[in-house]
Amino acid sequence: MKFASLTVAGGRDAIRTRFPGLTSLQLDFDFSDTTSFLPSPQVTVFHPPAPAYFCFACPYSDCSGEFDLTGMVDLAVSSRDSQASGQLACVGTRHRGVACTLCLEYTISPHWA
């Protein structure tokens, strides 16, 4: 999983500071697209010392887009539901100015102490 910008992530609060009592936060990513090549599903688990940074670059190496799940993570954690899921479309641009058509299907699973 590549972060959209590592320099921005360095200035973020830790998970333990932003979400006290959270023991881990799991993000599951599945992708769909109109092309035959799809990025592999991804799972990322954040623990209390990790930066609370939830912007991820589009997995297509030639795409300028990113997926910002910050608002969705905040909502999922504040609701204290065991899971939240949804979809985000990439709005980036790929090689030769072609719009990216990748769709991220995500599941957010906060785990409490």
PDB file of all heavy atoms in Angstrom, residues 62-97:
ATOM      1  N   ASP A  62       0.566   4.673 -13.223  1.00  0.00           N
ATOM      2  CA  ASP A  62       0.525   5.816 -14.139  1.00  0.00           C
ATOM      3  C   ASP A  62      -0.642   6.765 -13.850  1.00  0.00           C
ATOM      4  O   ASP A  62      -0.970   7.615 -14.660  1.00  0.00           O
ATOM      5  CB  ASP A  62       0.469   5.341 -15.592  1.00  0.00           C
ATOM      6  CG  ASP A  62      -0.822   4.609 -15.937  1.00  0.00           C
ATOM      7  OD1 ASP A  62      -1.511   4.133 -15.008  1.00  0.00           O
ATOM      8  OD2 ASP A  62      -1.143   4.514 -17.132  1.00  0.00           O
ATOM      9  N   CYS A  63      -1.262   6.635 -12.675  1.00  0.00           N
ATOM     10  CA  CYS A  63      -2.415   7.465 -12.314  1.00  0.00           C
ATOM     11  C   CYS A  63      -2.026   8.534 -11.289  1.00  0.00           C
ATOM     12  O   CYS A  63      -1.249   8.265 -10.371  1.00  0.00           O
ATOM     13  CB  CYS A  63      -3.535   6.597 -11.744  1.00  0.00           C
ATOM     14  SG  CYS A  63      -5.027   7.536 -11.328  1.00  0.00           S
ATOM     15  N   SER A  64      -2.603   9.702 -11.433  1.00  0.00           N
ATOM     16  CA  SER A  64      -2.329  10.810 -10.515  1.00  0.00           C
ATOM     17  C   SER A  64      -3.329  10.875  -9.357  1.00  0.00           C
ATOM     18  O   SER A  64      -3.218  11.731  -8.489  1.00  0.00           O
ATOM     19  CB  SER A  64      -2.385  12.140 -11.280  1.00  0.00           C
ATOM     20  OG  SER A  64      -3.706  12.344 -11.782  1.00  0.00           O
ATOM     21  N   GLY A  65      -4.296   9.972  -9.326  1.00  0.00           N
ATOM     22  CA  GLY A  65      -5.377  10.044  -8.339  1.00  0.00           C
ATOM     23  C   GLY A  65      -5.037   9.433  -6.996  1.00  0.00           C
ATOM     24  O   GLY A  65      -4.012   8.768  -6.820  1.00  0.00           O
ATOM     25  N   GLU A  66      -5.913   9.705  -6.039  1.00  0.00           N
ATOM     26  CA  GLU A  66      -5.789   9.132  -4.704  1.00  0.00           C
ATOM     27  C   GLU A  66      -7.170   8.914  -4.122  1.00  0.00           C
ATOM     28  O   GLU A  66      -8.162   9.468  -4.589  1.00  0.00           O
ATOM     29  CB  GLU A  66      -4.956  10.018  -3.794  1.00  0.00           C
ATOM     30  CG  GLU A  66      -5.585  11.351  -3.455  1.00  0.00           C
ATOM     31  CD  GLU A  66      -4.687  12.208  -2.565  1.00  0.00           C
ATOM     32  OE1 GLU A  66      -3.455  12.062  -2.626  1.00  0.00           O
ATOM     33  OE2 GLU A  66      -5.240  13.017  -1.823  1.00  0.00           O
ATOM     34  N   PHE A  67      -7.202   8.072  -3.107  1.00  0.00           N
ATOM     35  CA  PHE A  67      -8.433   7.792  -2.381  1.00  0.00           C
ATOM     36  C   PHE A  67      -8.266   8.341  -0.969  1.00  0.00           C
ATOM     37  O   PHE A  67      -7.384   7.893  -0.240  1.00  0.00           O
ATOM     38  CB  PHE A  67      -8.698   6.281  -2.331  1.00  0.00           C
ATOM     39  CG  PHE A  67      -8.887   5.654  -3.679  1.00  0.00           C
ATOM     40  CD1 PHE A  67      -7.855   4.960  -4.293  1.00  0.00           C
ATOM     41  CD2 PHE A  67     -10.094   5.760  -4.341  1.00  0.00           C
ATOM     42  CE1 PHE A  67      -8.021   4.375  -5.527  1.00  0.00           C
ATOM     43  CE2 PHE A  67     -10.278   5.182  -5.583  1.00  0.00           C
ATOM     44  CZ  PHE A  67      -9.236   4.488  -6.180  1.00  0.00           C
ATOM     45  N   ASP A  68      -9.096   9.294  -0.593  1.00  0.00           N
ATOM     46  CA  ASP A  68      -9.032   9.882   0.749  1.00  0.00           C
ATOM     47  C   ASP A  68     -10.163   9.299   1.581  1.00  0.00           C
ATOM     48  O   ASP A  68     -11.327   9.638   1.393  1.00  0.00           O
ATOM     49  CB  ASP A  68      -9.144  11.403   0.663  1.00  0.00           C
ATOM     50  CG  ASP A  68      -8.962  12.076   2.018  1.00  0.00           C
ATOM     51  OD1 ASP A  68      -8.858  11.381   3.043  1.00  0.00           O
ATOM     52  OD2 ASP A  68      -8.929  13.319   2.035  1.00  0.00           O
ATOM     53  N   LEU A  69      -9.811   8.435   2.509  1.00  0.00           N
ATOM     54  CA  LEU A  69     -10.799   7.785   3.372  1.00  0.00           C
ATOM     55  C   LEU A  69     -10.888   8.425   4.749  1.00  0.00           C
ATOM     56  O   LEU A  69     -11.529   7.881   5.638  1.00  0.00           O
ATOM     57  CB  LEU A  69     -10.465   6.297   3.520  1.00  0.00           C
ATOM     58  CG  LEU A  69     -10.830   5.483   2.285  1.00  0.00           C
ATOM     59  CD1 LEU A  69      -9.597   5.096   1.531  1.00  0.00           C
ATOM     60  CD2 LEU A  69     -11.618   4.282   2.679  1.00  0.00           C
ATOM     61  N   THR A  70     -10.295   9.593   4.923  1.00  0.00           N
ATOM     62  CA  THR A  70     -10.257  10.239   6.232  1.00  0.00           C
ATOM     63  C   THR A  70     -11.656  10.433   6.811  1.00  0.00           C
ATOM     64  O   THR A  70     -11.925  10.050   7.951  1.00  0.00           O
ATOM     65  CB  THR A  70      -9.528  11.594   6.147  1.00  0.00           C
ATOM     66  OG1 THR A  70      -8.226  11.379   5.592  1.00  0.00           O
ATOM     67  CG2 THR A  70      -9.411  12.242   7.511  1.00  0.00           C
ATOM     68  N   GLY A  71     -12.549  11.001   6.051  1.00  0.00           N
ATOM     69  CA  GLY A  71     -13.919  11.233   6.529  1.00  0.00           C
ATOM     70  C   GLY A  71     -14.659   9.947   6.817  1.00  0.00           C
ATOM     71  O   GLY A  71     -15.398   9.847   7.809  1.00  0.00           O
ATOM     72  N   MET A  72     -14.454   8.940   5.978  1.00  0.00           N
ATOM     73  CA  MET A  72     -15.123   7.659   6.179  1.00  0.00           C
ATOM     74  C   MET A  72     -14.606   6.950   7.423  1.00  0.00           C
ATOM     75  O   MET A  72     -15.374   6.345   8.158  1.00  0.00           O
ATOM     76  CB  MET A  72     -14.928   6.770   4.947  1.00  0.00           C
ATOM     77  CG  MET A  72     -15.784   7.173   3.757  1.00  0.00           C
ATOM     78  SD  MET A  72     -15.402   8.792   3.106  1.00  0.00           S
ATOM     79  CE  MET A  72     -14.404   8.392   1.720  1.00  0.00           C
ATOM     80  N   VAL A  73     -13.286   7.038   7.660  1.00  0.00           N
ATOM     81  CA  VAL A  73     -12.709   6.429   8.866  1.00  0.00           C
ATOM     82  C   VAL A  73     -13.225   7.158  10.106  1.00  0.00           C
ATOM     83  O   VAL A  73     -13.642   6.522  11.083  1.00  0.00           O
ATOM     84  CB  VAL A  73     -11.165   6.432   8.818  1.00  0.00           C
ATOM     85  CG1 VAL A  73     -10.575   6.082  10.182  1.00  0.00           C
ATOM     86  CG2 VAL A  73     -10.662   5.482   7.749  1.00  0.00           C
ATOM     87  N   ASP A  74     -13.225   8.487  10.083  1.00  0.00           N
ATOM     88  CA  ASP A  74     -13.743   9.261  11.221  1.00  0.00           C
ATOM     89  C   ASP A  74     -15.176   8.867  11.545  1.00  0.00           C
ATOM     90  O   ASP A  74     -15.531   8.659  12.709  1.00  0.00           O
ATOM     91  CB  ASP A  74     -13.672  10.762  10.936  1.00  0.00           C
ATOM     92  CG  ASP A  74     -12.264  11.321  10.988  1.00  0.00           C
ATOM     93  OD1 ASP A  74     -11.370  10.654  11.554  1.00  0.00           O
ATOM     94  OD2 ASP A  74     -12.054  12.424  10.453  1.00  0.00           O
ATOM     95  N   LEU A  75     -16.007   8.742  10.518  1.00  0.00           N
ATOM     96  CA  LEU A  75     -17.416   8.372  10.715  1.00  0.00           C
ATOM     97  C   LEU A  75     -17.544   6.951  11.261  1.00  0.00           C
ATOM     98  O   LEU A  75     -18.309   6.705  12.191  1.00  0.00           O
ATOM     99  CB  LEU A  75     -18.182   8.516   9.397  1.00  0.00           C
ATOM    100  CG  LEU A  75     -19.676   8.274   9.454  1.00  0.00           C
ATOM    101  CD1 LEU A  75     -20.356   9.268  10.393  1.00  0.00           C
ATOM    102  CD2 LEU A  75     -20.266   8.385   8.056  1.00  0.00           C
ATOM    103  N   ALA A  76     -16.773   6.023  10.704  1.00  0.00           N
ATOM    104  CA  ALA A  76     -16.843   4.625  11.155  1.00  0.00           C
ATOM    105  C   ALA A  76     -16.405   4.487  12.607  1.00  0.00           C
ATOM    106  O   ALA A  76     -17.040   3.777  13.391  1.00  0.00           O
ATOM    107  CB  ALA A  76     -15.976   3.741  10.257  1.00  0.00           C
ATOM    108  N   VAL A  77     -15.337   5.182  12.972  1.00  0.00           N
ATOM    109  CA  VAL A  77     -14.838   5.086  14.352  1.00  0.00           C
ATOM    110  C   VAL A  77     -15.794   5.778  15.315  1.00  0.00           C
ATOM    111  O   VAL A  77     -16.111   5.250  16.381  1.00  0.00           O
ATOM    112  CB  VAL A  77     -13.408   5.654  14.462  1.00  0.00           C
ATOM    113  CG1 VAL A  77     -12.962   5.735  15.906  1.00  0.00           C
ATOM    114  CG2 VAL A  77     -12.431   4.807  13.649  1.00  0.00           C
ATOM    115  N   SER A  78     -16.298   6.953  14.955  1.00  0.00           N
ATOM    116  CA  SER A  78     -17.191   7.687  15.861  1.00  0.00           C
ATOM    117  C   SER A  78     -18.534   6.984  16.047  1.00  0.00           C
ATOM    118  O   SER A  78     -19.145   7.094  17.098  1.00  0.00           O
ATOM    119  CB  SER A  78     -17.404   9.120  15.377  1.00  0.00           C
ATOM    120  OG  SER A  78     -18.115   9.133  14.159  1.00  0.00           O
ATOM    121  N   SER A  79     -18.989   6.234  15.051  1.00  0.00           N
ATOM    122  CA  SER A  79     -20.267   5.517  15.180  1.00  0.00           C
ATOM    123  C   SER A  79     -20.130   4.248  16.018  1.00  0.00           C
ATOM    124  O   SER A  79     -21.127   3.694  16.462  1.00  0.00           O
ATOM    125  CB  SER A  79     -20.817   5.156  13.798  1.00  0.00           C
ATOM    126  OG  SER A  79     -20.035   4.138  13.204  1.00  0.00           O
ATOM    127  N   ARG A  80     -18.873   3.806  16.202  1.00  0.00           N
ATOM    128  CA  ARG A  80     -18.561   2.595  16.971  1.00  0.00           C
ATOM    129  C   ARG A  80     -19.223   1.344  16.406  1.00  0.00           C
ATOM    130  O   ARG A  80     -19.427   0.359  17.108  1.00  0.00           O
ATOM    131  CB  ARG A  80     -18.860   2.784  18.450  1.00  0.00           C
ATOM    132  CG  ARG A  80     -17.959   3.876  19.055  1.00  0.00           C
ATOM    133  CD  ARG A  80     -18.047   3.989  20.542  1.00  0.00           C
ATOM    134  NE  ARG A  80     -17.443   2.929  21.309  1.00  0.00           N
ATOM    135  CZ  ARG A  80     -16.199   2.921  21.774  1.00  0.00           C
ATOM    136  NH1 ARG A  80     -15.390   3.913  21.497  1.00  0.00           N
ATOM    137  NH2 ARG A  80     -15.771   1.925  22.511  1.00  0.00           N
ATOM    138  N   ASP A  81     -19.563   1.387  15.123  1.00  0.00           N
ATOM    139  CA  ASP A  81     -20.046   0.178  14.448  1.00  0.00           C
ATOM    140  C   ASP A  81     -18.876  -0.772  14.250  1.00  0.00           C
ATOM    141  O   ASP A  81     -17.724  -0.351  14.189  1.00  0.00           O
ATOM    142  CB  ASP A  81     -20.654   0.514  13.082  1.00  0.00           C
ATOM    143  CG  ASP A  81     -21.994   1.227  13.201  1.00  0.00           C
ATOM    144  OD1 ASP A  81     -22.658   1.078  14.253  1.00  0.00           O
ATOM    145  OD2 ASP A  81     -22.376   1.918  12.242  1.00  0.00           O
ATOM    146  N   SER A  82     -19.164  -2.065  14.125  1.00  0.00           N
ATOM    147  CA  SER A  82     -18.084  -3.032  13.941  1.00  0.00           C
ATOM    148  C   SER A  82     -17.500  -2.978  12.535  1.00  0.00           C
ATOM    149  O   SER A  82     -16.359  -3.385  12.321  1.00  0.00           O
ATOM    150  CB  SER A  82     -18.573  -4.448  14.251  1.00  0.00           C
ATOM    151  OG  SER A  82     -19.607  -4.801  13.350  1.00  0.00           O
ATOM    152  N   GLN A  83     -18.279  -2.461  11.570  1.00  0.00           N
ATOM    153  CA  GLN A  83     -17.809  -2.365  10.191  1.00  0.00           C
ATOM    154  C   GLN A  83     -18.564  -1.289   9.447  1.00  0.00           C
ATOM    155  O   GLN A  83     -19.736  -1.045   9.704  1.00  0.00           O
ATOM    156  CB  GLN A  83     -18.042  -3.687   9.453  1.00  0.00           C
ATOM    157  CG  GLN A  83     -16.836  -4.470   9.175  1.00  0.00           C
ATOM    158  CD  GLN A  83     -17.140  -5.707   8.349  1.00  0.00           C
ATOM    159  OE1 GLN A  83     -18.226  -5.900   7.836  1.00  0.00           O
ATOM    160  NE2 GLN A  83     -16.146  -6.566   8.243  1.00  0.00           N
ATOM    161  N   ALA A  84     -17.866  -0.667   8.512  1.00  0.00           N
ATOM    162  CA  ALA A  84     -18.491   0.279   7.584  1.00  0.00           C
ATOM    163  C   ALA A  84     -17.885   0.009   6.220  1.00  0.00           C
ATOM    164  O   ALA A  84     -16.715  -0.345   6.105  1.00  0.00           O
ATOM    165  CB  ALA A  84     -18.216   1.718   8.014  1.00  0.00           C
ATOM    166  N   SER A  85     -18.687   0.151   5.182  1.00  0.00           N
ATOM    167  CA  SER A  85     -18.160  -0.104   3.842  1.00  0.00           C
ATOM    168  C   SER A  85     -18.762   0.875   2.854  1.00  0.00           C
ATOM    169  O   SER A  85     -19.766   1.531   3.123  1.00  0.00           O
ATOM    170  CB  SER A  85     -18.440  -1.546   3.416  1.00  0.00           C
ATOM    171  OG  SER A  85     -19.819  -1.815   3.438  1.00  0.00           O
ATOM    172  N   GLY A  86     -18.114   0.970   1.712  1.00  0.00           N
ATOM    173  CA  GLY A  86     -18.584   1.867   0.665  1.00  0.00           C
ATOM    174  C   GLY A  86     -17.704   1.781  -0.559  1.00  0.00           C
ATOM    175  O   GLY A  86     -16.850   0.891  -0.672  1.00  0.00           O
ATOM    176  N   GLN A  87     -17.912   2.719  -1.470  1.00  0.00           N
ATOM    177  CA  GLN A  87     -17.153   2.768  -2.712  1.00  0.00           C
ATOM    178  C   GLN A  87     -16.689   4.186  -2.989  1.00  0.00           C
ATOM    179  O   GLN A  87     -17.378   5.140  -2.650  1.00  0.00           O
ATOM    180  CB  GLN A  87     -18.012   2.323  -3.899  1.00  0.00           C
ATOM    181  CG  GLN A  87     -18.417   0.888  -3.887  1.00  0.00           C
ATOM    182  CD  GLN A  87     -19.232   0.533  -5.126  1.00  0.00           C
ATOM    183  OE1 GLN A  87     -19.798   1.407  -5.781  1.00  0.00           O
ATOM    184  NE2 GLN A  87     -19.291  -0.744  -5.441  1.00  0.00           N
ATOM    185  N   LEU A  88     -15.513   4.292  -3.598  1.00  0.00           N
ATOM    186  CA  LEU A  88     -14.989   5.569  -4.067  1.00  0.00           C
ATOM    187  C   LEU A  88     -14.450   5.370  -5.474  1.00  0.00           C
ATOM    188  O   LEU A  88     -13.784   4.375  -5.748  1.00  0.00           O
ATOM    189  CB  LEU A  88     -13.831   6.051  -3.187  1.00  0.00           C
ATOM    190  CG  LEU A  88     -14.148   6.579  -1.801  1.00  0.00           C
ATOM    191  CD1 LEU A  88     -12.844   6.871  -1.064  1.00  0.00           C
ATOM    192  CD2 LEU A  88     -14.971   7.836  -1.902  1.00  0.00           C
ATOM    193  N   ALA A  89     -14.729   6.311  -6.354  1.00  0.00           N
ATOM    194  CA  ALA A  89     -14.184   6.272  -7.704  1.00  0.00           C
ATOM    195  C   ALA A  89     -12.933   7.133  -7.765  1.00  0.00           C
ATOM    196  O   ALA A  89     -12.884   8.224  -7.187  1.00  0.00           O
ATOM    197  CB  ALA A  89     -15.215   6.779  -8.705  1.00  0.00           C
ATOM    198  N   CYS A  90     -11.919   6.653  -8.445  1.00  0.00           N
ATOM    199  CA  CYS A  90     -10.706   7.436  -8.637  1.00  0.00           C
ATOM    200  C   CYS A  90     -11.005   8.559  -9.631  1.00  0.00           C
ATOM    201  O   CYS A  90     -11.677   8.341 -10.641  1.00  0.00           O
ATOM    202  CB  CYS A  90      -9.574   6.560  -9.167  1.00  0.00           C
ATOM    203  SG  CYS A  90      -8.019   7.463  -9.362  1.00  0.00           S
ATOM    204  N   VAL A  91     -10.535   9.744  -9.329  1.00  0.00           N
ATOM    205  CA  VAL A  91     -10.749  10.891 -10.226  1.00  0.00           C
ATOM    206  C   VAL A  91      -9.424  11.348 -10.846  1.00  0.00           C
ATOM    207  O   VAL A  91      -9.331  12.446 -11.386  1.00  0.00           O
ATOM    208  CB  VAL A  91     -11.446  12.067  -9.497  1.00  0.00           C
ATOM    209  CG1 VAL A  91     -12.851  11.680  -9.088  1.00  0.00           C
ATOM    210  CG2 VAL A  91     -10.634  12.512  -8.291  1.00  0.00           C
ATOM    211  N   GLY A  92      -8.429  10.471 -10.792  1.00  0.00           N
ATOM    212  CA  GLY A  92      -7.119  10.800 -11.342  1.00  0.00           C
ATOM    213  C   GLY A  92      -7.071  10.668 -12.850  1.00  0.00           C
ATOM    214  O   GLY A  92      -8.019  10.223 -13.511  1.00  0.00           O
ATOM    215  N   THR A  93      -5.918  11.039 -13.382  1.00  0.00           N
ATOM    216  CA  THR A  93      -5.665  10.964 -14.816  1.00  0.00           C
ATOM    217  C   THR A  93      -4.531   9.981 -15.060  1.00  0.00           C
ATOM    218  O   THR A  93      -3.512  10.012 -14.370  1.00  0.00           O
ATOM    219  CB  THR A  93      -5.267  12.353 -15.360  1.00  0.00           C
ATOM    220  OG1 THR A  93      -6.301  13.268 -15.034  1.00  0.00           O
ATOM    221  CG2 THR A  93      -5.069  12.316 -16.857  1.00  0.00           C
ATOM    222  N   ARG A  94      -4.726   9.115 -16.045  1.00  0.00           N
ATOM    223  CA  ARG A  94      -3.709   8.126 -16.399  1.00  0.00           C
ATOM    224  C   ARG A  94      -2.922   8.588 -17.620  1.00  0.00           C
ATOM    225  O   ARG A  94      -3.103   9.701 -18.113  1.00  0.00           O
ATOM    226  CB  ARG A  94      -4.370   6.773 -16.640  1.00  0.00           C
ATOM    227  CG  ARG A  94      -5.019   6.250 -15.342  1.00  0.00           C
ATOM    228  CD  ARG A  94      -5.484   4.853 -15.452  1.00  0.00           C
ATOM    229  NE  ARG A  94      -4.335   3.962 -15.545  1.00  0.00           N
ATOM    230  CZ  ARG A  94      -4.451   2.675 -15.805  1.00  0.00           C
ATOM    231  NH1 ARG A  94      -5.636   2.134 -15.995  1.00  0.00           N
ATOM    232  NH2 ARG A  94      -3.378   1.920 -15.891  1.00  0.00           N
ATOM    233  N   HIS A  95      -2.086   7.732 -18.117  1.00  0.00           N
ATOM    234  CA  HIS A  95      -1.217   7.999 -19.266  1.00  0.00           C
ATOM    235  C   HIS A  95      -1.997   8.629 -20.434  1.00  0.00           C
ATOM    236  O   HIS A  95      -3.105   8.196 -20.736  1.00  0.00           O
ATOM    237  CB  HIS A  95      -0.563   6.686 -19.704  1.00  0.00           C
ATOM    238  CG  HIS A  95       0.412   6.827 -20.813  1.00  0.00           C
ATOM    239  ND1 HIS A  95       1.605   7.482 -20.675  1.00  0.00           N
ATOM    240  CD2 HIS A  95       0.373   6.397 -22.090  1.00  0.00           C
ATOM    241  CE1 HIS A  95       2.261   7.443 -21.801  1.00  0.00           C
ATOM    242  NE2 HIS A  95       1.534   6.789 -22.686  1.00  0.00           N
ATOM    243  N   ARG A  96      -1.421   9.654 -21.018  1.00  0.00           N
ATOM    244  CA  ARG A  96      -1.992  10.376 -22.165  1.00  0.00           C
ATOM    245  C   ARG A  96      -3.305  11.077 -21.846  1.00  0.00           C
ATOM    246  O   ARG A  96      -4.162  11.255 -22.705  1.00  0.00           O
ATOM    247  CB  ARG A  96      -2.156   9.453 -23.367  1.00  0.00           C
ATOM    248  CG  ARG A  96      -0.843   8.922 -23.869  1.00  0.00           C
ATOM    249  CD  ARG A  96      -0.989   8.179 -25.137  1.00  0.00           C
ATOM    250  NE  ARG A  96       0.314   7.622 -25.490  1.00  0.00           N
ATOM    251  CZ  ARG A  96       0.529   6.928 -26.562  1.00  0.00           C
ATOM    252  NH1 ARG A  96      -0.449   6.673 -27.395  1.00  0.00           N
ATOM    253  NH2 ARG A  96       1.734   6.455 -26.805  1.00  0.00           N
ATOM    254  N   GLY A  97      -3.497  11.434 -20.580  1.00  0.00           N
ATOM    255  CA  GLY A  97      -4.664  12.221 -20.200  1.00  0.00           C
ATOM    256  C   GLY A  97      -5.975  11.468 -20.106  1.00  0.00           C
ATOM    257  O   GLY A  97      -7.041  12.078 -20.019  1.00  0.00           O
TER     258      GLY A  97
END
